[in-house]
Amino acid sequence: VQKLQTVLDDFHNITGIRICIMDTDFNMIADTNNNPQPFCSLIQSYDNCQGCIKSDDALLKQCEVQKGASFHVCHAGLIDIALPITINGLTIGYAFMGQIRESKDYNSIRHMFPPHADHDMLKQSYSKLVYYNRTQIESLTRTAVMLAISVLAEDMIKLEADELSEKAAQYIKTNLCND
């Protein structure tokens, strides 16, 4: 786990982007920072984290369905990226990156928040988030895929025997009628 944590911390130090690894039930395995950005803390205070939870869950499910890296704009106007970590076609976890702003202008997302929101504070904290344009986000996604391959190649994440047999049984059950 320490080697995995070091790799995630290195990725964060280079990119400024939070990255975490989750198991298939979306439980945290490793994370670069458990503390959300001030911008995200403000957003979460308006809806008790419900928007973030729904947004993250939707992205991870989209990633699961597509069987590949996915990114989207979350409910607060930030870019989040998720990618499955797979062994022999079997998903054993997910890498999740986020809290990236795609726009330099807070006014482009201002309408997403309630009228009573502290827009001065939101604007100030939004400007401190890391900024990437769409091309950089796509490059970051491809780099993260290579990172996931490296994590697997270095055995930083392993399937437990019980988990493997459970997943194998589920695969057989789901695909019994297929070739």
Side-chain angles (χ1 to χ4, degrees):
V1 175
Q2 183 57 41
K3 190 173 186 179
L4 175 61
Q5 189 64 53
T6 300
V7 169
L8 296 182
D9 289 343
D10 287 345
F11 182 87
H12 175 73
N13 289 338
I14 292 168
T15 63
I17 295 171
R18 179 181 181 190
I19 182 170
C20 64
I21 305 294
M22 298 179 192
D23 65 17
T24 54
D25 294 322
F26 309 132
N27 297 311
M28 194 75 63
I29 295 171
D31 190 3
T32 55
N33 182 357
N34 286 327
N35 301 320
Q37 295 283 349
F39 178 81
C40 294
S41 292
L42 282 168
I43 298 304
Q44 292 167 356
S45 73
Y46 298 126
D47 70 355
N48 198 26
C49 299
Q50 293 308 302
C52 294
I53 292 168
K54 288 178 185 176
S55 182
D56 291 352
D57 189 50
L59 176 60
L60 290 170
K61 284 186 169 62
Q62 174 185 332
C63 180
E64 184 177 13
V65 168
Q66 291 181 350
K67 303 285 188 216
S70 301
F71 64 91
H72 79 162
V73 177
C74 77
H75 73 291
L78 302 180
I79 299 291
D80 290 327
I81 304 166
L83 59 119
I85 301 172
T86 59
I87 297 176
N88 298 326
L90 184 65
T91 299
I92 63 166
Y94 296 90
F96 186 83
M97 296 157 282
Q99 304 171 339
I100 306 164
R101 65 185 171 107
E102 185 182 27
S103 173
K104 292 183 178 181
D105 182 19
Y106 170 75
N107 290 326
S108 68
I109 62 166
R110 181 185 177 106
H111 68 279
M112 301 173 98
F113 312 118
H116 66 276
D118 184 345
H119 290 286
D120 290 335
M121 186 64 81
L122 283 167
K123 182 177 182 178
Q124 181 182 34
S125 58
Y126 182 77
S127 70
K128 293 179 182 176
L129 292 169
V130 66
Y131 166 79
Y132 282 93
N133 64 37
R134 188 59 61 129
T135 301
Q136 291 170 313
I137 290 167
E138 291 169 357
S139 295
L140 178 69
T141 303
R142 287 189 296 274
T143 302
V145 169
M146 290 184 278
L147 176 67
I149 292 167
S150 175
V151 163
L152 290 172
E154 295 288 326
D155 288 328
M156 290 181 233
I157 297 178
K158 296 180 183 179
L159 270 177
E160 298 294 326
D162 290 342
E163 186 179 351
L164 178 59
S165 60
E166 183 180 311
K167 289 192 179 285
Q170 180 61 37
Y171 180 82
I172 291 168
K173 182 179 175 183
T174 303
N175 295 287
L176 191 57
C177 297
N178 297 335
D179 290 339

